[in-house]
């Protein structure tokens, strides 16, 4: 997540000349940025350079991505009529640049590592649309959910349909795996997740039922709702550092894969501590297959590139030495 963004000087240099959206809409530039982390850090997969907000423009939402803030929506959604006016995404005409960027990135990667496509999950997208920007408490979002359930259902309905269509288009364009980012869903209780979110995330995944690619379901703060997330769908479940990975895996069941779960702040510490924390995760996983080593959330801007490189190397070496 945001592995290219924020902390790589090579990315920042490109950003001095181009806005984030400009990069996303220029397939060649986008391919270059998507492959930066593979070339520089040695990670095992590339994630398409895009943003979860990108497809919303095609649905009729105007937004901006503000430096250091994230998505900002000038006229946030809350009334039924406005939600009703949202259109269904048509990938070929609304986001042709994403499909072109996928082809260009695949070419540049030249089969070195797989390419992950992605979208925002309906809840996380809805929260930006309703709040208008990042928030801590999600008051407006929950208020709409509780007070205007019809409007909520309509919004979630529209988002899940469009995101399902969007992911299918990405798979057709050549991505090797997809990740659905429900970054902020951890603010809900398991009961509310079940009632207000699960059916819609389930619908996103249902669009990929007939596709033989891994589907990663990402969330943070989800330790209490892993069983529900599993019901919603996915082949791989991404967890953050708030729950030990072995405990999370037991809750999810060993017939699904797991991704996680180093706290990104650990990368600001000394090498010894970074290695110890990473080793703890790998020891908890043991010899079980189906683990993707990852951070619990995005890399922080102040992270040193050298620390990330060393972590990647450590995980590779540790995995090799325990599996031989
Ligand atoms: O890893 C990558 O760089 C791949 C591309 C990528 C971006 N956004 C580009 C980006 C990915 C996978 C995302 C996903 C995304 N965007 C999520 C889900 C994952 C997560 O981290 O929770 C969310 C919630 C967003 C919305 C968003 N966009 C936020 C919260 C921010 C951060 C604002 C900040 O800088 O603190 C953005 C901006 C953004 N999107 C950046 C990048 C590289 C930041 C750097 C920049 O503005 O150039």
């Amino acid at each position: 997540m945001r592995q290219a963004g924020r902390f790589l000087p090579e990315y920042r240099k490109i950003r001095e000349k181009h806005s984030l959206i400009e990069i996303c809409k220029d397939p060649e530039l986008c391919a270059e940025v998507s492959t930066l982390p593979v070339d520089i850090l040695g990670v095992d997969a590339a994630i398409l350079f895009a943003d979860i907000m990108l497809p919303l423009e095609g649905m009729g939402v105007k937004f901006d991505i503000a430096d250091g803030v994230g998505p900002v929506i000038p006229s946030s959604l809350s009334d039924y009529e406005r939600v009703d006016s949202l259109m269904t995404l048509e990938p070929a005409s609304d986001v042709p640049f994403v499909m072109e960027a996928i082809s260009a990135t695949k070419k540049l990667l030249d089969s070195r590592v797989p390419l992950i496509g992605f979208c925002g999950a309906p809840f996380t997208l809805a929260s930006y649309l309703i709040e208008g920007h990042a928030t801590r408490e999600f008051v407006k979002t929950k208020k709409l959910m509780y007070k205007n359930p019809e409007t909520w259902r309509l919004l979630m309905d529209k988002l899940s349909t469009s995101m399902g269509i969007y992911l299918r288009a990405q798979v057709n364009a050549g991505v090797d795996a997809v990740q659905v980012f429900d970054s902020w869903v951890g603010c809900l209780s398991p009961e509310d997740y079940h009632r207000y979110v699960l059916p819609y995330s389930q619908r996103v995944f249902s669009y990929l039922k007939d596709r033989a690619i891994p589907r990663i379901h990402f969330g943070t703060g989800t330790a209490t709702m892993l069983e529900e997330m599993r019901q919603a769908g996915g082949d791989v479940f991404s967890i953050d550092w708030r729950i030990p990975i072995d405990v999370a895996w037991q809750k999810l069941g060993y017939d699904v894969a797991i991704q996680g779960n180093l706290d990104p702040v650990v990368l600001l510490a000394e090498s010894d501590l970074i290695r110890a924390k990473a080793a703890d995760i790998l020891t908890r996983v043991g010899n079980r297959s189906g683990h993707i080593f990852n951070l619990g959330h995005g890399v922080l801007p102040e992270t040193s590139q050298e620390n990330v490189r060393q972590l990647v190397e450590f995980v590779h070496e540790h995995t090799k030495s325990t599996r031989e």
Side-chain angles (χ1 to χ4, degrees), residues 1-6 11 15 20 47-53 65-71 118 124 128 181 183-184 218 297-298:
M1 294 142 292
R2 290 186 249 140
Q3 55 187 8
R6 307 206 282 189
Y11 169 75
R15 274 285 273 114
L20 194 141
I47 187 152
L48 179 70
F49 193 82
D51 195 85
I52 56 168
M53 303 304 287
I65 296 183
D67 283 346
V69 176
F118 70 92
T124 291
Y128 280 116
F181 284 109
S183 306
W184 311 129
F218 174 94
H297 210 164

